[in-house]
Each structure stands twice: as C-alpha cells, then as structure tokens.
Amino acid sequence: QEEFVESGGGLVQPGGSLRLSCVVSGSLFRFYVMAWYRQAPGNEREKVADITGGGTTNYAESVKGRFTISRDNAKNTVYLQMNGLKPEDTAVYYCNTYPFGSIWGQGTQVTVSS
C-alpha cells in the first residue's frame, strides 16, 4: 500500500500563492495517475487536479488557470502550484492516486484569509 506525505500548506492572503508537495512511497509511482483532493469543513472531498505518469493533466473548473499540477517520477513526488488563491480554496489538501485508494495521508491545511 502506498503512503502519502503532504506538505506546503499555510495561511495566505487572497491572491497569494502556495506550492504543495506530496511524497509517495513505493516503486510503482510512475505508473499511477496521481491527484490532489481537498476537503473543506462540512463539504465532501473533491478532486482538484490529476496527472498521468506521462504528464497529461486535468483540472476542476474552479481551479483552472490558477492551479498547476506536476510530478517528478524520479523523486516519487507530486506538486500543486496554487496561484491567485481565493477564500473558497480554504481546505485540507490531500494527494492520492486516481481513483483513490483506502489509505490517506494527514493532508496539509491551506487557509486563504485576509
């Protein structure tokens, strides 16, 4: 079973930027479609973006043009560059495979507030 360790969250003002990182254990990383998910209080967990092993990306409409997902297969790491952050982006962000498995990391809190 893969394990996920997310980092890079924090408190940022509206319009600011953050870069999230997620290190994934295991030797099969490069074969997985990886995704970033987020969950705000009282909301369902939603997929924000995903990326294939070859680098093809997909984004939720709410983040298109502001967020960029990328990966480094040599480092077993997936990234999420978030620009133009809005208060509605406030959530705990998680990475996982897509479709997701049963094991989740601790996530990283992103708070967008003035």
Side-chain angles (χ1 to χ4, degrees), residues 80-100:
L80 187 68
Q81 177 67 43
M82 306 186 295
N83 299 327
L85 282 161
K86 305 176 180 180
E88 52 263 44
D89 295 319
T90 295
V92 179
Y93 284 71
Y94 303 87
C95 74
N96 207 311
T97 57
Y98 176 68
F100 57 79

Side-chain angles (χ1 to χ4, degrees), residues 22-84:
C22 175
V23 179
V24 184
S25 67
S27 60
L28 301 179
F29 174 80
R30 65 189 182 278
F31 298 115
Y32 295 138
V33 178
M34 293 301 303
W36 282 96
Y37 302 82
R38 67 185 180 187
Q39 187 169 22
N43 288 3
E44 297 286 321
R45 191 170 294 176
E46 63 171 344
K47 183 168 68 71
V48 172
D50 64 70
I51 184 168
T52 67
T56 300
T57 58
N58 287 290
Y59 297 93
E61 283 297 323
S62 58
V63 306
K64 265 184 189 176
R66 300 187 299 122
F67 290 11
T68 302
I69 188 171
S70 61
R71 66 192 293 162
D72 185 337
N73 289 336
K75 295 182 178 180
N76 275 28
T77 302
V78 59
Y79 305 97
L80 187 68
Q81 177 67 43
M82 306 186 295
N83 299 327

